[in-house]
Structure formats: C-alpha cells, structure tokens
Amino acid sequence: MAGIGNSGSLHLKSLVKRYGGFTAVDNVNLEIERGEFLTLLGPSGSGKTTLLLMMAGFQDITSGDILLDGQSIAAMPAEKRNFGMVFQGYALFPHMTVRDNIAYPLSVRKRPKAEIGAKVDEMLDLVHLTDFGHRFPKELSGGQQQRVALARALCFAPPVLLLDEPLGALDKKLRIEVQAQLKEIHNRVGTTFVFVTHDQEEALSMSDRIVIMNHGRIEQVGTPSELYQHPRTVFAASFLGKSNFLHRKDAVYALRPEKIDLAAAGTGQGANTVSGVVQSVTYFGAMLKYQVQVPELGEIEVDVDAWRGGTPVAEGTTVDLTWANTAAVRLEIEPK
Amino acid sequence: MRAIPRHALNAGWILVLPFVVLVGALFLGPIFNILWLSVSDPTPGLGNYTELFTSDSLGRILWTTLRVCVICTAISVVLGYSIAYAMVHAAEGTRNKMLGLLLVSFWISVLVRTFSWLMLLGRNGVVNSTLETIGIISEPISFMRNELGVLIGMVHYMVPYAVLPILASMQSIDGRVLQASRSLGATGTQTFWRVYLPLSRAGLVAAALLVFIINLGFYVIPAVLGGGKVLMVAEYISVQVLVTLQWGTAAMLAALLLFGVLALLFLMSRFMKLSTVFGGARA
C-alpha cells in the first residue's frame, strides 16, 4: 500500500465475548486487509464497539484469536499493541496543548526531541491545524478536536487505526466535511482503518468494505455497492438504506424505493406492474416520497426524482407501480 | 436577561441587613479588636511584632509549628491520595462502605480521638505492650510528649479532610482519557505521572491547603499528645491569654496566623482559580 504511514492486516478468528449469560460478540470471523477502510456498522447493542475494544485490547476475549500480520496479539496488553485509537468524545488530554497531545505517543516512547518536533509538525500539517499547536483542547471546536485526536493516534505510525464513532458528536454539516477529510487522510497515510458507526450514510460514503453487525454476529460483509444492491438478509436490506419487502410464496424479496417507477393508472409498462392508491406524498427537495397502498403487497414506499418526475400525484389517486425483474433481490430466510 | 431594577436591589439589601450587622458585630468586630490589641497592648506601636525577631522562644515556637504542619500535611495528603485512589477504583458497594468509615471518623470529636491515642500510645499502652509481648522491642517506645505523638494524632485527624477533595477531583477524570493514554503506548506508570496525577492536581492542592490551614491552628492534639513538650502557636496563645496575661503577644500571634492563611490563599490564587480548588463551578 502506498502511503506515508504503516499498515497491517488483522485476522479475527472465531471471536467470542460473553458477559455472564449475555453474548456480546458471537463467533466473529473476519479478515481485515492491509490498508483498507473497513466499517463496522450496526445498531447500538450489536457488538460493534465491543469488537473494536477487543481489537484495541481493552476487552478481554472469551474465546477465539486475533492475529496481526499473522501473529497472535490476543494476550497482548493495549499499550503493547501499537494501535492508534480515536475515541468517542476524542479523549484528548485536557491539561496538554495540541502539540503535547500529539507528541504524547512519541514522548512516552522516549524518542529524541528533534524527531518528535518534526513529526508533530508533519501531523499538524496533515490535519490542517498548523496554527493551533499551542492551544488547549477546550479552545478548539469539535471538528478541530476530532482532528487532533486523529493526529495523535496516527503520529506513531500505527499499523492499524481504530475509530469508535468519532463523528458522533458533530453536527450533520460538519460531519460530512470531516468524512471527506478523514477519507483523504486515509488515502495519504495508507494505514488500515477500522471504523465503528451506526450511521449508514457515513458507512456507505467512506468505506472500502462494510461489515453489518446485528446481535453480536456478522450479518453480511461487502463493498458498499455490493451490500446496497445485493443485501442477503432482511436486516441488511433494512439497516443499510430502505427497502420494501415483497412476500411471494415462501420467499422474501427486497425492493429499493428508488427502483420503482410510478405511472398513471393503466399506463404502467414493466416486467412487474401493480396498481395502488397513493396514501401520502412527502417532499424532500431532491425527491418525492410516496406511500402507496397496494392490495396484494401492502404499503409500498416509492422514491421519485422530484425534478424529472413532473407534477406530484395527489393523495387518493390510483397509480401503477412498475419495476424490472432485476430490481427485486431475493433474500435468505433468516435461520431461527 | 434583563438587569435587575435598582429599587429591587435595595429592597434585597434591607432583607439581608440584619445578617450583615450580625456578621459584622460578632465576627469582624472581634477580629478588628484582636488586630487593634496586637498594636496597642501593652503600649501602642509595633513592639509585639518586633518581638518576633528578638525573642528566641517565639522563634522556636513558630519553627516547631511550621515544621509539624508541613510534615503532617505531606503525610496526610499522600495517605489521602492513596485512599482516594483506592476508593475510586473500588467496586461501588466497597466504595460506599469506605466513604461511610471515613465519615464516621469525621464525626468523632477530636478530644475523644486524642484521648484514645493517649490510651494506645502510652508507655503501658496497647501498642507498646503488644510490641513487647511479641518481642520486637525490649523498652517501651516513647510515642508521647514528643513530635511523633503529635504527628500521629494530627495525621489521623486530617486524613479524611485530605481524602474528600482528592476523591472529588479523581471522580471527575474521564476514564477514556486513561484508556487513550494506554492505547498510545504509555505504561501504567507513565499514565499515572503524565495524565492521572496532573488531572487530579487541583484536588491535591485543595487538600494540602485545607490540611495545612487547619493544622496551623491545632490546639487540642499538640497540647494533649505533646504534653507541653511540643509547643505550637495555638497552645502558646492560650498560655499568653490565660496564664501570663500578655494579650498583646497573643493578639500578635493570632494576627500572624490570620495573615499567614490569607497570604497562602493569595499565593495559591495566583497559580490557579480558587473556585476550582474548592470545587466551585468551572468557568
């Protein structure tokens, strides 16, 4: 992998974490490749943070193993693993300046002063905070604090960077900006990033691969487009994006709202055509969201491009819904 | 927010006026009286204060007071820090029990505690007889009528005062910051010296200040456990007032203590906000 940083591969083998009778992480197997941006996505309580803390060394393992570049690190304490970590709420040292925060991992390793100074300058430049070195964390905005946390976690060239919902505290607009910066930094350093989030848009826009987690298990692993276009389970289809679920005989199909076309009654032409009554229309600027009651399918959500879709159809109108055969994805019935 | 109208402010002052008068008459009045006595008795002038530089006994007493207070503060704060650290890291049930024990010792009168030490530390006390029985010592150790006894009594009294401010500041430390330190490669020792200790420093300073100030005015413990051999300022003042009737000297020493404490607070306020030291709202 190209990049100014270090990078390593992680192999999680049959990882289990139990608290008493509760299984937080249930037999997780995962290969994280050198230099990739991997996102653990799931609702709260899905085990994604526990899994990250096990990689970091802050949670001990009930059973299973973790390999870094083929070497087991399961028994290694957190401070020996050399992983960078960005915490929820950043966990900056409030009594140190930005420079001292970033220099911390190098100074506890007793590196020479000149080397530390040069490295801190480089990191400040990487996160665009060159003029903020002498400020204290509380004098910075949330986004700036987040960048300091990132610089601090990267400055000792860790093979793996673990990020625990690092953007959770930022407002939506800032979050999108920081997502782009984070992605850019990942490209520049080339370090393996393991990113935990419950925000599906964040996962889709940043990741090389996404791991969808639910109830301590991996539901599905894949690139963002693989997961979006070909979800395998009901959970994957509903957690990542929205889906209509069509029950046909003993199979379930997922159909994305934007893959359905809406036409005037009797004019619908497609492999699949059904007729229904518009229950509600909601305007979202770029698109219109219709809820359409279809007798044989129930309520179906349809997204229509607001600009190309023409005049909105009024509530109570009967319409035709059509979609291509490839639009509906057959799901695996979840083992119960 | 709207400014409070002027007349409302005046009405408020009328309500608190009785208390202001009360505080003035019963608290500030006597203090000014003491300050006045220190420069007017037996003759007007600074004669009482120049005694500080000419009298050997006064110098010795001040030196003893300072030495005992500094040693006691140091020991109390170190013990208090260790206890607070143990409490913060204990399970919640254990922590509450520890806090209960701490508060119980707070509520026992200093007189009762001092006489208990008298029983324990005497020549034929529990400590000496136990040590003799198991053969560690052949002669009783003299714990009393010396600084050792005074220090044991004072440290015992002061430890709870040291624990509470330290405990408060330790409890406000974010656990993730310590995790962050470890994830960045710091050992436990490094994390303690470079992160934990600096973040609990405000509590440490508050505890030291509190203990030192209370120590300065200690009377009962030095009088009883020191048995007249360890003369500290408070006891000397009492002797001047009750026995030798040199009120001017007594007032001068009292004023000295007062200014000493104020100077200490002033010095501290130059390094840190006193409101954070004493647990006030953080700005």
Side-chain angles (χ1 to χ4, degrees):
Chain A
M1 273 286 152
I4 56 174
N6 217 335
S7 79
S9 68
L10 270 180
H11 187 180
L12 313 184
K13 282 167 87 175
S14 314
L15 273 187
V16 176
K17 176 70 189 176
R18 278 193 207 95
Y19 301 100
F22 175 69
T23 307
V25 171
D26 190 1
N27 193 27
V28 164
N29 286 289
L30 184 63
E31 299 250 15
I32 302 171
E33 282 159 34
R34 198 175 281 273
E36 82 172 320
F37 194 126
L38 182 109
T39 298
L40 301 174
L41 175 69
S44 55
S46 60
K48 57 190 193 302
T49 297
T50 309
L51 194 59
L52 192 82
L53 292 176
M54 286 161 93
M55 293 183 216
F58 292 125
Q59 282 283 359
D60 37 284
I61 295 166
T62 306
S63 68
D65 203 357
I66 302 176
L67 308 178
L68 171 67
D69 294 330
Q71 302 284 314
S72 172
I73 56 163
M76 201 182 263
E79 61 268 28
K80 292 274 161 61
R81 291 193 187 188
N82 259 342
F83 288 2
M85 181 148 180
V86 177
F87 290 78
Q88 224 170 346
Y90 322 129
L92 295 177
F93 303 125
H95 59 296
M96 295 182 196
T97 60
V98 167
R99 280 198 83 86
D100 290 343
N101 262 284
I102 299 175
Y104 187 83
L106 298 176
S107 82
V108 297
R109 286 173 174 77
K110 302 196 169 65
R111 297 277 179 75
K113 273 230 164 64
E115 183 198 326
I116 294 177
K119 190 72 199 173
V120 171
D121 286 336
E122 187 191 329
M123 296 318 293
L124 282 172
D125 181 54
L126 179 75
V127 297
H128 308 300
L129 285 173
T130 309
D131 297 331
F132 293 84
H134 295 286
R135 298 230 192 149
F136 282 92
K138 63 169 187 253
E139 297 165 341
L140 301 180
S141 71
Q144 290 167 337
Q145 290 185 24
Q146 201 271 337
R147 272 139 64 195
V148 176
L150 195 64
R152 183 179 71 171
L154 282 171
C155 102
F156 56 107
V160 177
L161 182 71
L162 308 171
L163 303 106
D164 184 13
E165 306 223 13
L167 312 182
L170 304 177
D171 62 55
K172 195 176 166 96
K173 200 169 170 201
L174 193 58
R175 200 152 57 198
I176 290 167
E177 204 180 299
V178 177
Q179 280 172 19
Q181 287 168 351
L182 200 57
K183 192 69 198 150
E184 183 215 318
I185 288 169
H186 174 249
N187 289 337
R188 278 185 64 185
V189 297
T191 299
T192 311
F193 276 35
V194 182
F195 185 91
V196 162
T197 186
H198 62 267
D199 183 321
Q200 43 131 338
E201 282 176 34
E202 213 165 273
L204 284 173
S205 66
M206 300 172 75
S207 322
D208 293 325
R209 283 196 303 157
I210 299 174
V211 177
I212 300 182
M213 293 196 65
N214 189 26
H215 297 308
R217 283 192 305 262
I218 292 180
E219 286 275 337
Q220 195 173 349
V221 184
T223 65
S225 76
E226 268 167 25
L227 291 184
Y228 191 81
Q229 303 303 342
H230 303 285
R232 274 213 309 263
T233 64
V234 171
F235 182 82
S238 58
F239 196 75
L240 198 71
K242 291 203 130 193
S243 288
N244 295 296
F245 294 105
L246 315 179
H247 297 265
R248 293 247 167 100
K249 297 192 193 91
D250 55 351
V252 180
Y253 292 83
L255 179 58
R256 299 288 185 193
E258 73 277 11
K259 294 185 183 173
I260 304 175
D261 287 320
L262 190 134
T267 65
Q269 288 177 337
N272 305 278
T273 306
V274 293
S275 167
V277 179
V278 174
Q279 301 292 307
S280 69
V281 193
T282 316
Y283 181 65
F284 281 96
M287 62 165 188
L288 290 162
K289 211 175 250 308
Y290 290 94
Q291 299 289 338
V292 180
Q293 186 67 38
V294 179
E296 59 267 44
L297 297 173
E299 191 156 277
I300 297 288
E301 194 176 308
V302 183
D303 290 349
V304 175
D305 190 316
W307 176 246
R308 290 181 185 83
T311 323
V313 180
E315 285 168 25
T317 315
T318 302
V319 291
D320 277 358
L321 304 181
T322 61
W323 61 90
N325 274 331
T326 50
V329 180
R330 184 176 175 154
L331 302 177
E332 289 168 12
I333 303 299
E334 283 177 68
K336 278 283 168 227
Chain B
M1 242 197 274
R2 277 186 310 142
I4 299 167
R6 205 172 169 69
H7 55 88
L9 210 65
N10 291 342
W13 273 109
I14 292 166
L15 282 176
V16 293
L17 195 64
F19 302 102
V20 173
V21 171
L22 211 64
V23 168
L26 299 181
F27 185 72
L28 293 177
I31 285 181
F32 282 116
N33 189 26
I34 292 214
L35 291 179
W36 174 246
L37 268 180
S38 74
V39 291
S40 63
D41 183 279
T43 52
L46 292 173
N48 288 321
Y49 288 90
T50 50
E51 249 187 277
L52 278 176
F53 303 100
T54 53
S55 155
D56 277 352
S57 60
L58 268 180
R60 207 167 52 242
I61 285 158
L62 286 176
W63 172 236
T64 307
T65 308
L66 203 65
R67 187 176 60 231
V68 170
C69 288
V70 167
I71 296 172
C72 172
T73 304
I75 298 174
S76 305
V77 166
V78 170
L79 283 179
Y81 197 87
S82 319
I83 294 171
Y85 190 86
M87 285 173 80
V88 169
H89 292 85
E92 205 186 333
T94 320
R95 178 163 62 238
N96 288 338
K97 277 180 207 141
M98 292 172 85
L99 197 63
L101 286 173
L102 199 75
L103 292 177
V104 164
S105 71
F106 236 134
W107 295 328
I108 299 174
S109 142
V110 62
L111 216 56
V112 173
R113 291 159 81 175
T114 309
F115 281 106
S116 310
W117 279 117
L118 216 54
M119 306 287 218
L120 291 171
L121 298 177
R123 280 188 79 77
N124 303 312
V126 180
V127 175
N128 268 324
S129 58
T130 311
L131 289 177
E132 270 180 294
T133 315
I134 48 177
I136 293 178
I137 54 169
S138 53
E139 283 285 295
I141 302 171
S142 47
F143 284 114
M144 280 171 10
R145 301 173 73 80
N146 59 22
E147 273 185 34
L148 182 61
V150 173
L151 276 174
I152 292 174
M154 279 171 61
V155 167
H156 177 238
Y157 188 78
M158 291 318 308
V159 163
Y161 286 91
V163 170
L164 294 178
I166 296 174
L167 186 66
S169 76
M170 281 183 182
Q171 276 173 335
S172 69
I173 296 177
D174 180 357
R176 278 179 307 197
V177 171
L178 306 174
Q179 278 196 340
S181 168
R182 284 185 56 203
S183 82
L184 295 169
T187 62
T189 322
Q190 283 173 323
T191 301
F192 178 79
W193 288 107
R194 304 185 60 161
V195 180
Y196 201 85
L197 191 63
L199 289 180
S200 53
R201 198 188 61 172
L204 207 59
V205 172
L209 207 58
L210 188 68
V211 170
F212 190 79
I213 288 171
I214 297 177
N215 276 345
L216 276 180
F218 250 135
Y219 173 62
V220 173
I221 294 172
V224 175
L225 290 172
K229 298 276 192 218
V230 185
L231 208 53
M232 284 170 59
V233 171
E235 195 184 353
Y236 191 72
I237 290 175
S238 135
V239 170
Q240 301 297 308
V241 171
L242 300 173
V243 184
T244 59
L245 299 183
Q246 290 182 318
W247 286 31
T249 311
M252 178 274 290
L253 285 171
L256 197 67
L257 281 186
L258 182 68
F259 289 128
V261 169
L262 289 178
L264 221 53
L265 286 174
F266 173 74
L267 203 68
M268 219 47 95
S269 73
R270 304 202 54 174
F271 292 107
M272 54 207 310
K273 281 206 192 83
L274 282 179
S275 62
T276 51
V277 168
F278 292 115
R282 285 172 193 216

